[in-house]
Every structure is written in C-alpha cells, then in structure tokens.
Amino acid sequence: MERYDFQTQRLFVTADMAEGRPIDADRAQANYLLNVLRLKQGDKILLFNGRDGEWLAGIDPQGRKSCSLLPLKLTRAQPAPSNLHYCFAPLKHGRLEYMVQKAVEMGAGILQPVITQHTQISRLNTGKMQAHAIEAAEQCGILAIPQVRAEVPMAKLIADWEATRQLVYCDEAAPDADPVELLKPLKGKPLGLLVGPEGGFSADERTMLRQLPFVTVIPLGPRILRADTAAVAALAIVQAAAGDWVAV
C-alpha cells in the first residue's frame, strides 16, 4: 500500500488540480487554514478532490479571510474507486454519522441507504452524509470519495440488483458457521454488503433474501450486535475474507 503523510493537514477541494494552477479556498476553508490552524504564506498542506490524486500545495493568504492554494507536486496517484457496495438501514443522528465514517474508513465505494420494514428513519440528508464521508477521507488519507446514494426501499434494491454482484447479508438468526469460510469463495468477485436496522430484518425479508441466488447469508458471531457495531464487524470480515485486504 502506498504510504501517505500523517502529519500534514489534508483538505478536500472540488476544483480540478494540476501543477501551478491556483485554487481559491472557500470561505470556511480559508478561515480554518488561516485563523484556526494559523498557517501562513508558504506553509504546505495536502489537497485531494477524489479525481486527481493527492497534491502538496502552498498557501497564499489574501488578508485574514481568503487564500489561494497552489498545487506544487503530485504526492499520490489517484487509485481506482472501491467496488464494494455498502447497503444499510439508516440509523439516528450520531450513530448514522459514525456508521458512514467507519464505512468510508473500511473501504466502501458506494453508500446505499435501504428502507426496511423495521427501519426507524425514512428520510435522510444525503448532503450531510456526503460531508461526513469527505471528513472521514480527509482524516484517514483516503483519496477515492464514496458515492452516497438516495435511500431506496428494500424491494427496489433487490429488483435493481445486478445479478453478477454477490450480496452478503448479515443475519443474526443465521445458523452458526464460520463467516470467513462462507466468504472465501467470493474472493475477487463484485460484492455488496447488507446490514439491517436496530430491530433486525422482518421474517418476510429474511425469507425473501434467502431465496435469492445472488445472496450469501453470514452470521456475525454468538452475540447480538448494535447496528453500528455490526456494520464495522461485517465490513472487516468481508474485506478480510473476500475484499481488498487479501490478494486475489
């Protein structure tokens, strides 16, 4: 894995980046850089936009409220986006923010909220979810920003699912088995992961999912996990057994 600079401040920008092409920081970014971090002329930060890799850039202040950022050299090339689709029943407020951040850190490429029969949240602010995803990427050296999709009912998720992508479904009622062994045959294949709501999946949803040829059912151990804990556990198992933690 290509290493990154842990010490230098990282900032997400929306502009295209190229050597010597200045970028105007927005007002919030300028305030953060100049008045919170107290950076000055010539100080360096790292920039990324999810498309052009990571760049070392110099700061050029214009007073205390604005500054431009000058890309100087490419420090890391842009990687291919993750092919892991993370599908989840939305949670409330802080727990949803935590889930989004951890999914980004664990390598999800698509964040797909799913409305199940027991989901307690029916409408989401995807803009806030995208902001949380960007913040997690800034903090963890991630260059590929996951796509946050609008929420869909479970029936639509299944109806639109591409049959060549295996959907890993976490079921607390699944028979005892080693989830790693169940996932090993999926190594190198396009994958999705489905984690349910706090109340679990309904009996009808379980029956429907188990009948689908593109679904792999796994347990998550002998204990009942909170939904946000289950998300991290499931992502770790999938990545370790069949995802990008292992060589294909």
Side-chain angles (χ1 to χ4, degrees):
M1 181 182 72
E2 190 176 11
R3 302 300 295 174
Y4 68 92
D5 183 349
F6 289 86
Q7 304 300 319
T8 305
Q9 181 69 36
R10 300 181 76 246
L11 192 67
F12 175 80
V13 296
T14 57
D16 294 334
M17 289 191 291
E19 183 177 350
R21 180 189 296 172
I23 298 169
D24 290 330
D26 65 33
R27 186 165 183 172
Q29 290 172 334
N31 178 68
Y32 178 66
L33 295 172
L34 301 178
N35 301 316
V36 178
L37 298 181
R38 298 186 180 279
L39 300 181
K40 300 187 175 9
Q41 177 77 40
D43 285 342
K44 304 297 191 297
I45 64 171
L46 295 169
L47 302 179
F48 71 109
N49 61 7
R51 304 183 302 277
D52 300 322
E54 181 182 73
W55 288 78
L56 184 70
I59 296 178
D60 182 16
Q62 286 98 45
R64 296 182 58 188
K65 295 185 177 181
S66 64
C67 67
S68 63
L69 311 169
L70 185 65
L72 302 172
K73 71 173 182 179
L74 183 68
T75 56
R76 287 191 293 157
Q78 183 67 33
S82 169
N83 196 28
L84 176 61
H85 292 201
Y86 175 54
C87 308
F88 61 96
L91 303 177
K92 295 179 180 178
H93 307 303
R95 292 177 65 192
L96 176 62
E97 178 181 347
Y98 172 86
M99 179 188 285
V100 168
Q101 290 174 343
K102 300 313 167 188
V104 174
E105 293 175 31
M106 298 295 288
I110 299 289
L111 302 181
Q112 177 62 73
V114 183
I115 307 302
T116 69
Q117 290 185 23
H118 294 164
T119 299
Q120 298 179 11
I121 304 296
S122 59
R123 294 194 62 81
L124 292 173
N125 186 329
T126 54
K128 282 188 177 181
M129 289 178 59
Q130 190 73 64
H132 296 324
I134 290 171
E135 180 182 4
E138 285 180 334
Q139 294 175 351
C140 296
I142 295 167
L143 297 182
I145 305 297
Q147 176 189 349
V148 177
R149 293 182 174 174
E151 65 272 14
V152 296
M154 171 78 88
K156 180 170 177 53
L157 176 80
I158 297 304
D160 294 344
W161 195 262
E162 50 186 322
T164 56
R165 180 179 298 276
Q166 198 71 12
L167 179 61
V168 178
Y169 150 53
C170 301
D171 187 352
E172 68 272 17
D176 290 340
D178 183 346
V180 173
E181 292 301 318
L182 294 173
L183 291 169
K184 280 182 179 179
L186 306 184
K187 186 187 301 184
K189 297 181 180 180
L191 294 177
L193 171 64
L194 176 62
V195 176
E198 294 169 311
F201 292 102
S202 70
D204 288 344
E205 288 168 338
R206 286 193 176 94
T207 299
M208 180 267 295
L209 287 166
R210 288 171 175 274
Q211 292 175 346
L212 296 170
F214 55 79
V215 167
T216 296
V217 183
I218 65 168
L220 287 179
R223 288 164 291 278
I224 299 298
L225 304 178
R226 284 172 47 148
D228 46 348
T229 306
V232 177
L235 284 161
I237 292 171
V238 168
Q239 291 288 49
D244 62 10
W245 289 11
V246 290
V248 177

